[in-house]
Amino acid sequence: MTDVVDSDELLRRMHRARTCALEERRSWRARSEELRPTDQEGSRDAAVRAVAYEAVVRVLDEVLTPGRSSG
């Protein structure tokens, strides 16, 4: 089943997705820091997940505000 959404709803969904990705990035970064002293492999895994969420945030930033974060 597919829903038809208008552009305002699409923007709201993308903003929610960006907020969620920011929260997940923070969470995985914190997890990486927590694990660093006791579980190096787990810390690396958490850091990789944080980087993945960073990529999602960057893509959504570019979609939502084109050219603003270029560099």
Side-chain angles (χ1 to χ4, degrees), residues 28-53:
W28 285 109
R29 280 185 180 170
R31 181 83 172 137
S32 178
E33 291 297 320
E34 287 174 17
L35 291 174
R36 186 170 290 151
T38 59
D39 182 1
Q40 291 293 316
E41 187 175 330
S43 177
R44 278 191 299 275
D45 180 55
V48 167
R49 290 172 189 257
V51 169
Y53 278 105

